[in-house]
Structure formats: C-alpha cells, structure tokens
C-alpha cells in the first residue's frame, strides 16, 4: 500500500425530511466533519434533498431540475471543502404526475456524473412507481477521484446484479449506493448480504449510505473488494471514514480474476 494509491471516502447517514433547508444544513455539517477527517469523496443517502414517508403530493411540489438550488448548494459545499459529493435528490420529471429518483456526483466544477434509479421499489407492499418514473437504461456514467473510478446505483438497484456488473464493465472500481432501505422482516439482513455480494462478485469496493432508523435500516458501510466491511455505522446518524486502496483492487482482481474469465457479458437492452 502506498499513499498515492489511497482515496479517503466517507459515508454519511442522516434522516432527510420535508425541510429542504434543514437537509442542506445537515449535509453541510456532515461534509465539514468528513472533510476534516480527510475525506475526498463524501456519499449521502437517497432522497437527501427532500423526503416524506409515506409519499404524498409534496414530493412533486418539491422536485427540482438537476441545475436547481439543491445541486447548486451541493456544488458550493463541495467547493468550500474541496471534495466530491454524491447525494440523492427528487428530480422534476418529464411527466407532470411523476418525478425521478436521481443521484448526482458534484464537485466545485459542477456535475461529474448523474444517475436515475432504474428499478423502482414495487415490492414488500410498496409502490414507488405510483410516484416515480424509472430512469432510462443508457451508457453508464462514471467519474474518477484520485485514480479510482466510481459508478452510481440506487437502493433497490442493489438487488439486480447486472447493474453493478454493467458499471464495472464500464471501468468502475467502486460502486456507490445511496439508499432509503426501508425497515422490515429480514431487510437488514438483505441489505448487508447484498452489499457484500456486489463487492465480492465484482471485486470492487461498495460505498453505501442509508437513512437511519426508524424508517431506514441504517448500517451504512464501506465494503472492500473481498467483501469485508472496513467502515460502518449502526442504526443511528453518523459519519464513517475509510481508505480505498487502488493497489488492493488490482491485487484482488489478480488472485480472483472473475471479471476476465466469465463467459457471459451483460448487454444493455436497446
């Protein structure tokens, strides 16, 4: 391990609410904490801009464009601390009745990557599709920090291995998973197991930020390419810091060459 191969990242676990200004204050506070501890990349949960449970019409009323005030504020916070921030937001959709569940990676220069949730959470009694439209399947967007390439997915996408594999095929060394992983029977078990599985099968880091209890399961974490949790939080709010090592990714892929020897490839739907 050399200092040049390391990138310090943070996962920030907080509970977004219907108070948009307070959400940004919390993001600014946790960014300040993470940056002071050396983080260059800081990851926040899904719906960080605005959240109500259960969903109601205010979700549409508080949706924004990707160049709207929430992202502009993220950019200002990133500039202040010289970091890259990933966070979820409620994006205004093309259909007036539906919004999009979006992620952005932002630094001082603007949006580095954007992603719209592909798999809507129509499971375990929930119907996310009544409020949201799914993102189109297109070319994966990735971005780089300190020589490590990152790819984006959101919450329920975690249950679909092809999402992570498509990102890794596009060059990602680490998968970022902002989430609002709702509590329920075995849901914490599913969350932890799937995070580790996506890391192991892709020989990639996984960086996951969830909402805390009582709505989310919490347990935001950083998982290394062999499936080992190297940093994490319990069910409460907090910030966890980890160092990602590019040399470890290379060593893991050398001893476990699953990306080179697999016989099938993911082909995106046209």
């Amino acid at each position: 391990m050399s200092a040049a191969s390391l990138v310090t990242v943070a996962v920030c676990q907080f509970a977004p609410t219907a108070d948009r200004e307070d959400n940004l204050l919390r993001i600014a506070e946790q960014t300040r904490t993470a940056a002071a501890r050396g983080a260059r990349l800081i990851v926040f949960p899904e719906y960080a801009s605005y959240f109500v449970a259960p969903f109601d019409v205010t979700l549409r009323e508080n949706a924004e464009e990707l160049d709207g005030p929430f992202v502009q504020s993220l950019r200002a916070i990133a500039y202040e601390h010289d970091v890259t921030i990933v966070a979820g937001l409620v994006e205004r959709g093309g259909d007036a009745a539906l919004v999009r569940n979006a992620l952005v990676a932002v630094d001082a220069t603007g949006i580095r990557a954007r992603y719209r949730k592909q798999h809507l959470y129509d499971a375990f009694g929930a119907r996310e599709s009544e409020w949201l439209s799914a993102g189109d399947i297109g070319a994966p967007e990735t971005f780089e920090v300190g020589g490590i390439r990152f790819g984006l997915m959101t919450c329920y996408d975690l249950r679909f291995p092809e999402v992570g594999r498509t990102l890794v095929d596009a060059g990602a060394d680490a998968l970022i998973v902002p989430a609002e992983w709702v509590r329920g029977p075995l849901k914490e078990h599913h969350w932890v197991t799937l995070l580790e599985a996506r890391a192991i099968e892709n020989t990639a880091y996984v960086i996951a930020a969830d909402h805390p209890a009582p709505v989310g399961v919490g347990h935001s974490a950083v998982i290394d390419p062999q499936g080992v949790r190297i940093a994490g939080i319990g069910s409460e709010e907090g910030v966890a810091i980890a160092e990602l090592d590019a040399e470890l990714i290379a060593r893991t892929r050398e001893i476990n060459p699953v990306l080179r020897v697999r016989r099938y490839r993911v082909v995106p739907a046209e």
Side-chain angles (χ1 to χ4, degrees):
M1 178 190 303
S2 67
S5 73
L6 301 178
V7 175
T8 303
V9 303
V11 285
C12 295
Q13 186 164 287
F14 87 105
T17 68
D19 188 332
R20 293 162 61 181
E21 291 186 5
D22 186 64
N23 293 338
L24 280 167
L25 284 174
R26 299 302 308 282
I27 289 170
E29 290 170 358
Q30 290 192 326
T31 298
R32 187 178 306 111
T33 298
R37 296 172 63 185
R40 298 178 60 190
L41 171 66
I42 303 171
V43 179
F44 289 92
E46 179 183 25
Y47 296 116
S49 69
Y50 183 86
F51 183 71
V52 288
F55 289 161
D56 58 31
V57 295
T58 64
L59 200 69
R60 291 192 291 265
E61 295 166 358
N62 287 275
E64 302 183 16
E65 303 291 347
L66 288 186
D67 60 354
F70 179 74
V71 173
Q72 292 300 321
S73 295
L74 289 185
R75 182 176 176 181
I77 296 168
Y79 172 79
E80 179 182 355
H81 298 285
D82 191 24
V83 296
T84 300
I85 295 173
V86 174
L89 73 148
V90 183
E91 182 193 6
R92 191 167 294 143
D95 183 335
L98 300 173
V99 298
R100 295 189 182 98
N101 184 335
L103 298 179
V104 289
V106 174
D107 66 11
T109 67
I111 296 176
R112 299 280 308 281
R114 68 203 72 200
Y115 176 77
R116 296 176 177 106
K117 188 175 185 180
Q118 293 180 8
H119 298 91
L120 300 183
Y121 185 60
D122 287 0
F124 298 95
R127 291 286 298 173
E128 199 173 39
S129 62
E130 293 179 358
W131 301 95
L132 276 68
S133 58
D136 295 329
I137 298 176
E141 287 198 44
T142 63
F143 66 98
E144 189 174 309
V145 176
I148 294 178
R149 185 156 294 278
F150 298 85
L152 303 173
M153 67 169 70
T154 310
C155 198
Y156 192 52
D157 288 330
L158 187 64
R159 292 184 181 272
F160 300 85
E162 60 271 21
V163 179
R165 184 50 57 86
T166 299
L167 289 168
V168 171
D169 281 348
D173 303 304
L175 308 176
I176 297 177
V177 192
E180 201 294 284
W181 199 269
V182 180
R183 298 181 72 82
L186 295 177
K187 293 293 295 299
E188 180 182 316
H189 170 65
H190 291 183
W191 169 247
V192 172
T193 300
L194 291 168
L195 291 176
E196 294 172 353
R198 297 295 85 85
I200 293 167
E201 70 196 8
N202 291 299
T203 54
Y205 283 97
V206 173
I207 305 155
D210 191 26
H211 291 214
V215 179
V217 300
H219 294 278
S220 300
V222 182
I223 313 294
D224 82 1
Q226 298 194 70
V228 177
R229 175 178 163 131
I230 58 174
I233 307 168
S235 59
E236 70 287 349
E237 295 195 359
V239 176
I241 305 289
E243 288 185 332
L244 275 54
D245 184 1
E247 293 179 1
L248 176 61
I249 300 168
R251 290 197 304 272
T252 302
R253 290 178 175 177
E254 184 62 30
I255 63 174
N256 182 23
V258 292
L259 301 182
R260 296 202 309 267
V261 303
R262 76 185 195 275
R263 299 180 65 187
Y264 297 93
R265 295 293 186 271
V266 175
V267 179
E270 296 182 356

